[in-house]
Amino acid sequence: MAELLLEIKNLKKYYGKGESQVKALDGVSFNVYKGEMLVLLGNSGCGKSTLLNIIGGMDSPTEGEVLLNGIDITRYKDRELTRYRKEKIGFIFQFYNLLPDLTALENVRMSLSKKDEQHLGEKALESVGLGDNKMKQYPSQMSGGEQQRVSIARALVKGAEIILCDEPTGALDDKTGRKILELLQEIVREKGQTMVIVTHTTPIADMADRVLTLRNGKIEKERVNEHPIDAKDIVW
Ligand code: ADP
Ligand code: MG
């Protein structure tokens, strides 16, 4: 039996009031199991980022719960929420979100709190294929794919339980995007990480263990892939 990690219950996020109200999420419920790769698929504007941001503790819902090991994180006070984000969540963004004035290594080390953990930064960068000479470069000196690798290293370095990816290949060309997906798949398969990827790119769903399709703030369907394909075989 798969081990339950997250329970998303009847999540709603409404913006505005009356006629102009936008229901970004309108009653979303699903589970996330330990070690799975879950893809949330949906067109632009269907609520993907809103959902991921709430799961990641960066936004709060109008209604509903996000239970991690049975504890509702949407009720956390600021300090608990900060700790949750820092310790439990690794977030990978479409546009990498690296700090421009810091080198690759400094960016990765930013997510480590203790001094005695600083050496983990190099290890994390090596594990995503960025060696010695790359570590000292600034984001502006790196390609998009390299910057995304730095952001993946930053998400991994602290040993976060859940990796959330919001359109991780959205800013990359197909070939580079595929390399990034291969890396993400390797992380789930080899490190046993739990990963949720949101994307509007349908073929990416074929590499997932499970696929949820979102539409207008609701889950429209769920699909289990008995045989997820290797990321390198994704047909774009
Ligand atoms: P996706 O990531 O799937 O493209 P989003 O979660 O970004 O979708 O947005 C879902 C809906 O909520 C969209 O209609 C969007 O315009 C709206 N929305 C998102 N953020 C805000 C906000 N801060 N204020 C008002 N509407 C918002
Ligand atoms: Mg989005």
Side-chain angles (χ1 to χ4, degrees):
M1 257 307 269
E3 197 178 330
L4 184 60
L5 185 62
L6 282 170
E7 291 169 89
I8 317 304
K9 289 188 170 173
N10 195 30
L11 216 55
K12 296 182 181 172
K13 180 74 176 183
Y14 295 171
Y15 291 108
K17 283 199 159 62
E19 294 269 302
S20 61
Q21 188 175 60
V22 175
K23 296 180 172 177
L25 297 175
D26 197 17
V28 170
S29 303
F30 62 93
N31 293 337
V32 181
Y33 298 95
K34 245 186 195 155
E36 77 170 333
M37 176 175 285
L38 178 66
V39 164
L40 295 166
L41 196 61
N43 292 333
S44 169
C46 75
K48 301 183 299 295
S49 294
T50 306
L51 177 57
L52 213 60
N53 291 342
I54 294 173
I55 296 173
M58 299 189 298
D59 195 0
S60 57
T62 308
E63 209 183 298
E65 300 175 350
V66 176
L67 306 176
L68 172 66
N69 299 320
I71 296 164
D72 186 3
I73 68 119
T74 69
R75 288 168 187 271
Y76 276 166
K77 304 260 185 312
D78 279 353
R79 204 194 314 167
E80 295 167 308
L81 207 54
T82 304
R83 203 163 130 195
Y84 166 78
R85 279 195 300 262
K86 224 176 156 113
E87 291 178 0
K88 305 286 184 189
I89 301 292
F91 215 107
I92 294 163
F93 300 88
Q94 178 171 355
F95 296 106
Y96 333 123
N97 283 29
L98 302 176
L99 294 170
D101 297 334
L102 299 183
T103 65
L105 184 56
E106 287 164 347
N107 264 285
V108 172
R109 284 179 171 168
M110 278 290 286
S111 67
L112 293 169
S113 34
K114 299 197 190 90
K115 262 220 147 67
D116 60 355
E117 289 178 338
Q118 293 297 310
H119 68 284
L120 296 174
E122 282 96 340
K123 273 176 91 171
L125 280 164
E126 275 160 19
S127 79
V128 300
L130 295 177
D132 260 349
N133 51 342
K134 284 287 167 197
M135 292 184 196
K136 296 188 186 75
Q137 290 189 347
Y138 291 88
S140 63
Q141 298 171 301
M142 309 183 102
S143 69
E146 287 167 346
Q147 289 182 65
Q148 193 60 301
R149 282 173 194 275
V150 176
S151 101
I152 293 170
R154 180 182 56 185
L156 286 175
V157 71
K158 55 189 176 172
E161 214 166 344
I162 306 158
I163 310 286
L164 304 175
C165 314
D166 191 351
E167 306 272 7
T169 61
L172 303 172
D173 63 73
D174 292 356
K175 188 163 164 255
T176 311
R178 193 193 306 266
K179 287 279 174 216
I180 292 299
L181 294 175
E182 284 177 35
L183 178 60
L184 294 175
Q185 189 170 50
E186 185 187 308
I187 289 163
V188 172
R189 288 183 176 174
E190 286 173 19
K191 298 189 201 287
Q193 287 274 3
T194 306
M195 190 174 287
V196 181
I197 302 180
V198 311
T199 178
H200 68 275
T201 309
T202 310
I204 292 180
D206 292 338
M207 69 182 262
D209 297 309
R210 208 152 54 92
V211 187
L212 299 173
T213 307
L214 264 179
R215 196 183 161 92
N216 296 333
K218 289 189 162 91
I219 292 180
E220 193 181 48
K221 60 182 177 205
E222 175 177 354
R223 177 179 115 207
V224 174
N225 283 336
E226 294 299 341
H227 303 286
I229 67 168
D230 290 345
K232 67 173 170 38
D233 296 327
I234 290 174
V235 182
W236 231 271

